Amino acid sequence: MHFEKEVGESLTYKFAQAAGEMKAQGREIISLGLGEPDFKTPDYVIKATMEAMREGFTHYSATQGWPELRERVAEDCNRSYSSDYTANDVIVTPGIKSAVYFALAAILEPEDEIILVSPYYVSYPAMVKLAEPRAKIVNVALNEDFTLDLEKLKAAFTGKTKAILINTPNNPTGMVLSEEETEQIVKLAIENDTYVISDEVYEKLVYGGRKHISFGLFKGIRDRLVICNGYSKSHAMTGWRLGYAVGSRDVIAKMNKLQQHINTNTCTFIQKGACAIYQNEPVHIAPYVKELEQRIAYFDKEIDKLDYMNLVKPKAGFFCFASISATGADSNSFCTDLLRKTGIASTPGIAFGPEWDAYVRFSLAVPMATLERAVGLLGNYRYEK
């Protein structure tokens, strides 16, 4: 298999591994690198999954996904979007990455162009090139305040544009597309006969009374839309590897063919256990969102005191994407130096797009005491070449 340059080692995991090695050597490490919620998976999900194993849900299941779970996903989408999806419009996959990759593989053909709104999730370019090595990636960078430049986006569309892949709410910036921005993307997609692949995994972690505007709310794009989502961030199920896609039935059918030959099916008892998510109120989410808001407000205030770093306050998720342009350092050098001198693990901005080498991502999915310790170290830190 030929590996394009985009299919490289994930910098998020590279720095997490380096931090782990230093910790094994006895160093104090404060991990603000990898992002996963710092609460436990709800007991009702664990209980339902254990019951499913005991009841014998340990064999093959439908390739497209456990029928009950697909029905519940479709019903949830219909409540949220006032749509009319059915179980046939849903595929359950081993993680959201699989859903995004299968969507790309189902849609892209040689010489197609795909627009990535940057900064993007670190794995997107690799997924594109694994799905279709001859596809051309066109990056459209957000403005410095992390708003979307609609004119720049419009100019990126050509006769070869097959899809736009976007993550909203966004990792790493915490940006949330406004209704106007979302509507304009839909308009451009319709005008250019282009698919929209929307990764909306952070939709439940939105702050300040804001609302996540899903592409599913726009009826005109339904036949060219694939929404990818899951339970990793909302229910702390990162290790369960469970995601789904809902959207264009033609694309879902192609994704199912890929899954038949690659995964056979997604873990049966995990799917059965996940049905409990739709039978219980997510009472854990509001307190967690409130806690994240407090951490973000604190981190934003403290970073504002530093002369070498600044950030745009996130509107969602648990990441802060901070500018380090005042240091003159590239993001790899900065993160390496920061880890070596302070023990703080972060993620280089260049992992999220070549335009963002003067940025660093910090995960705030840590207890406040840990964050306070990190802020104290950042206050005493100085970058030197």
Side-chain angles (χ1 to χ4, degrees), residues 163-192:
I164 175 171
L165 172 56
I166 191 164
N167 170 218
T168 179
N170 179 259
N171 169 12
T173 66
M175 170 272 291
V176 179
L177 285 178
S178 68
E179 184 172 359
E180 179 188 4
E181 288 171 329
T182 311
E183 188 173 18
Q184 287 301 313
I185 292 171
V186 169
K187 181 181 178 182
L188 287 169
I190 292 171
E191 289 175 352
N192 291 276

Short mmCIF file of all heavy atoms in Angstrom, two decimals, residues 163-192:
data_model
loop_
_atom_site.label_atom_id
_atom_site.label_comp_id
_atom_site.label_asym_id
_atom_site.label_seq_id
_atom_site.Cartn_x
_atom_site.Cartn_y
_atom_site.Cartn_z
N ALA A 163 -16.89 17.12 -2.07
CA ALA A 163 -17.38 17.12 -0.70
C ALA A 163 -16.68 18.20 0.11
O ALA A 163 -15.60 18.67 -0.25
CB ALA A 163 -17.15 15.77 -0.05
N ILE A 164 -17.33 18.57 1.20
CA ILE A 164 -16.70 19.40 2.22
C ILE A 164 -16.83 18.65 3.54
O ILE A 164 -17.89 18.14 3.87
CB ILE A 164 -17.35 20.81 2.30
CG1 ILE A 164 -16.75 21.60 3.47
CG2 ILE A 164 -18.87 20.74 2.41
CD1 ILE A 164 -17.17 23.07 3.49
N LEU A 165 -15.71 18.55 4.25
CA LEU A 165 -15.67 17.86 5.53
C LEU A 165 -15.43 18.89 6.61
O LEU A 165 -14.46 19.64 6.57
CB LEU A 165 -14.55 16.80 5.54
CG LEU A 165 -14.22 16.10 6.87
CD1 LEU A 165 -15.44 15.43 7.46
CD2 LEU A 165 -13.10 15.08 6.64
N ILE A 166 -16.34 18.94 7.59
CA ILE A 166 -16.26 19.98 8.61
C ILE A 166 -16.63 19.41 9.98
O ILE A 166 -17.46 18.50 10.09
CB ILE A 166 -17.18 21.16 8.24
CG1 ILE A 166 -16.91 22.37 9.14
CG2 ILE A 166 -18.66 20.76 8.25
CD1 ILE A 166 -17.49 23.66 8.61
N ASN A 167 -15.98 19.92 10.99
CA ASN A 167 -16.19 19.50 12.38
C ASN A 167 -16.76 20.68 13.16
O ASN A 167 -16.09 21.67 13.37
CB ASN A 167 -14.83 19.04 12.95
CG ASN A 167 -14.85 18.80 14.44
OD1 ASN A 167 -13.88 19.11 15.11
ND2 ASN A 167 -15.91 18.23 14.95
N THR A 168 -18.04 20.58 13.54
CA THR A 168 -18.68 21.65 14.31
C THR A 168 -19.59 21.04 15.37
O THR A 168 -20.39 20.18 15.04
CB THR A 168 -19.47 22.62 13.42
OG1 THR A 168 -20.11 23.62 14.25
CG2 THR A 168 -20.54 21.93 12.61
N PRO A 169 -19.42 21.44 16.64
CA PRO A 169 -18.38 22.30 17.20
C PRO A 169 -16.99 21.76 16.90
O PRO A 169 -16.80 20.56 16.77
CB PRO A 169 -18.67 22.29 18.70
CG PRO A 169 -20.14 21.98 18.80
CD PRO A 169 -20.39 21.03 17.68
N ASN A 170 -16.05 22.68 16.82
CA ASN A 170 -14.75 22.37 16.25
C ASN A 170 -13.70 21.96 17.27
O ASN A 170 -13.56 22.56 18.32
CB ASN A 170 -14.24 23.59 15.47
CG ASN A 170 -12.88 23.38 14.84
OD1 ASN A 170 -11.88 23.85 15.36
ND2 ASN A 170 -12.84 22.69 13.73
N ASN A 171 -13.00 20.92 16.96
CA ASN A 171 -11.75 20.53 17.61
C ASN A 171 -10.64 20.90 16.63
O ASN A 171 -10.64 20.36 15.52
CB ASN A 171 -11.75 19.03 17.89
CG ASN A 171 -10.41 18.47 18.33
OD1 ASN A 171 -9.49 19.21 18.65
ND2 ASN A 171 -10.30 17.15 18.33
N PRO A 172 -9.76 21.86 16.95
CA PRO A 172 -9.32 22.25 18.29
C PRO A 172 -9.80 23.61 18.81
O PRO A 172 -9.47 23.97 19.93
CB PRO A 172 -7.81 22.31 18.10
CG PRO A 172 -7.65 22.88 16.72
CD PRO A 172 -8.77 22.27 15.92
N THR A 173 -10.53 24.40 18.02
CA THR A 173 -10.72 25.81 18.38
C THR A 173 -11.85 26.05 19.38
O THR A 173 -11.87 27.08 20.04
CB THR A 173 -11.03 26.65 17.13
OG1 THR A 173 -12.30 26.24 16.60
CG2 THR A 173 -9.95 26.49 16.08
N GLY A 174 -12.82 25.13 19.44
CA GLY A 174 -14.01 25.39 20.23
C GLY A 174 -14.99 26.30 19.50
O GLY A 174 -15.97 26.78 20.07
N MET A 175 -14.75 26.52 18.21
CA MET A 175 -15.64 27.33 17.39
C MET A 175 -16.96 26.57 17.15
O MET A 175 -16.97 25.35 17.02
CB MET A 175 -14.96 27.63 16.05
CG MET A 175 -15.84 28.26 14.98
SD MET A 175 -16.74 27.05 13.93
CE MET A 175 -15.41 26.33 12.99
N VAL A 176 -18.06 27.32 17.11
CA VAL A 176 -19.36 26.77 16.76
C VAL A 176 -19.89 27.55 15.57
O VAL A 176 -19.97 28.78 15.62
CB VAL A 176 -20.35 26.89 17.94
CG1 VAL A 176 -21.71 26.32 17.56
CG2 VAL A 176 -19.82 26.18 19.18
N LEU A 177 -20.23 26.85 14.50
CA LEU A 177 -20.78 27.56 13.34
C LEU A 177 -22.08 28.24 13.71
O LEU A 177 -22.95 27.66 14.38
CB LEU A 177 -21.04 26.57 12.20
CG LEU A 177 -19.84 26.05 11.42
CD1 LEU A 177 -20.30 25.04 10.37
CD2 LEU A 177 -19.06 27.16 10.75
N SER A 178 -22.24 29.47 13.27
CA SER A 178 -23.49 30.19 13.47
C SER A 178 -24.54 29.65 12.49
O SER A 178 -24.22 28.92 11.54
CB SER A 178 -23.28 31.68 13.23
OG SER A 178 -23.01 31.92 11.85
N GLU A 179 -25.77 30.04 12.72
CA GLU A 179 -26.84 29.62 11.80
C GLU A 179 -26.58 30.15 10.40
O GLU A 179 -26.78 29.45 9.40
CB GLU A 179 -28.19 30.11 12.32
CG GLU A 179 -29.36 29.63 11.49
CD GLU A 179 -30.71 29.94 12.10
OE1 GLU A 179 -30.73 30.53 13.21
OE2 GLU A 179 -31.73 29.62 11.48
N GLU A 180 -26.11 31.41 10.32
CA GLU A 180 -25.82 32.00 9.01
C GLU A 180 -24.70 31.25 8.31
O GLU A 180 -24.80 30.95 7.10
CB GLU A 180 -25.43 33.47 9.16
CG GLU A 180 -25.09 34.13 7.83
CD GLU A 180 -24.51 35.53 7.99
OE1 GLU A 180 -24.29 35.96 9.13
OE2 GLU A 180 -24.24 36.17 6.96
N GLU A 181 -23.63 30.92 9.04
CA GLU A 181 -22.50 30.20 8.43
C GLU A 181 -22.94 28.82 7.96
O GLU A 181 -22.59 28.40 6.85
CB GLU A 181 -21.37 30.07 9.45
CG GLU A 181 -20.65 31.38 9.73
CD GLU A 181 -19.68 31.28 10.90
OE1 GLU A 181 -19.93 30.48 11.83
OE2 GLU A 181 -18.66 31.98 10.88
N THR A 182 -23.72 28.14 8.78
CA THR A 182 -24.19 26.81 8.40
C THR A 182 -25.09 26.88 7.17
O THR A 182 -24.95 26.09 6.23
CB THR A 182 -24.96 26.16 9.56
OG1 THR A 182 -24.19 26.27 10.76
CG2 THR A 182 -25.22 24.69 9.29
N GLU A 183 -25.97 27.85 7.16
CA GLU A 183 -26.89 28.02 6.03
C GLU A 183 -26.14 28.33 4.74
O GLU A 183 -26.48 27.82 3.66
CB GLU A 183 -27.88 29.14 6.35
CG GLU A 183 -28.99 29.27 5.33
CD GLU A 183 -30.05 30.29 5.77
OE1 GLU A 183 -29.75 31.10 6.67
OE2 GLU A 183 -31.16 30.25 5.21
N GLN A 184 -25.08 29.14 4.84
CA GLN A 184 -24.29 29.48 3.66
C GLN A 184 -23.52 28.27 3.13
O GLN A 184 -23.38 28.10 1.91
CB GLN A 184 -23.33 30.62 3.98
CG GLN A 184 -24.00 31.98 4.14
CD GLN A 184 -24.74 32.40 2.89
OE1 GLN A 184 -24.22 32.33 1.78
NE2 GLN A 184 -25.98 32.83 3.05
N ILE A 185 -23.03 27.43 4.02
CA ILE A 185 -22.35 26.21 3.58
C ILE A 185 -23.34 25.31 2.85
O ILE A 185 -23.03 24.74 1.79
CB ILE A 185 -21.74 25.47 4.78
CG1 ILE A 185 -20.58 26.27 5.37
CG2 ILE A 185 -21.24 24.07 4.37
CD1 ILE A 185 -20.05 25.72 6.69
N VAL A 186 -24.54 25.19 3.39
CA VAL A 186 -25.58 24.39 2.74
C VAL A 186 -25.89 24.95 1.36
O VAL A 186 -25.99 24.20 0.37
CB VAL A 186 -26.86 24.37 3.60
CG1 VAL A 186 -28.04 23.79 2.83
CG2 VAL A 186 -26.62 23.57 4.87
N LYS A 187 -26.01 26.28 1.26
CA LYS A 187 -26.30 26.92 -0.02
C LYS A 187 -25.20 26.64 -1.04
O LYS A 187 -25.48 26.29 -2.20
CB LYS A 187 -26.45 28.43 0.20
CG LYS A 187 -26.79 29.20 -1.07
CD LYS A 187 -26.91 30.70 -0.78
CE LYS A 187 -27.19 31.48 -2.06
NZ LYS A 187 -27.26 32.95 -1.81
N LEU A 188 -23.94 26.76 -0.60
CA LEU A 188 -22.82 26.49 -1.51
C LEU A 188 -22.79 25.03 -1.94
O LEU A 188 -22.49 24.72 -3.09
CB LEU A 188 -21.51 26.88 -0.83
CG LEU A 188 -21.23 28.37 -0.69
CD1 LEU A 188 -20.05 28.61 0.24
CD2 LEU A 188 -20.97 29.00 -2.05
N ALA A 189 -23.09 24.13 -1.02
CA ALA A 189 -23.09 22.70 -1.34
C ALA A 189 -24.17 22.38 -2.38
O ALA A 189 -23.93 21.61 -3.32
CB ALA A 189 -23.30 21.88 -0.07
N ILE A 190 -25.34 22.98 -2.21
CA ILE A 190 -26.43 22.73 -3.16
C ILE A 190 -26.06 23.31 -4.53
O ILE A 190 -26.24 22.66 -5.56
CB ILE A 190 -27.74 23.35 -2.64
CG1 ILE A 190 -28.21 22.59 -1.39
CG2 ILE A 190 -28.81 23.32 -3.72
CD1 ILE A 190 -29.38 23.25 -0.68
N GLU A 191 -25.55 24.54 -4.53
CA GLU A 191 -25.19 25.20 -5.80
C GLU A 191 -24.11 24.43 -6.55
O GLU A 191 -24.09 24.42 -7.79
CB GLU A 191 -24.70 26.62 -5.53
CG GLU A 191 -25.78 27.58 -5.09
CD GLU A 191 -25.23 28.95 -4.72
OE1 GLU A 191 -23.98 29.09 -4.66
OE2 GLU A 191 -26.04 29.87 -4.49
N ASN A 192 -23.20 23.79 -5.81
CA ASN A 192 -22.08 23.09 -6.44
C ASN A 192 -22.25 21.58 -6.47
O ASN A 192 -21.31 20.86 -6.82
CB ASN A 192 -20.79 23.44 -5.68
CG ASN A 192 -20.37 24.88 -5.88
OD1 ASN A 192 -19.71 25.23 -6.86
ND2 ASN A 192 -20.76 25.74 -4.94
#
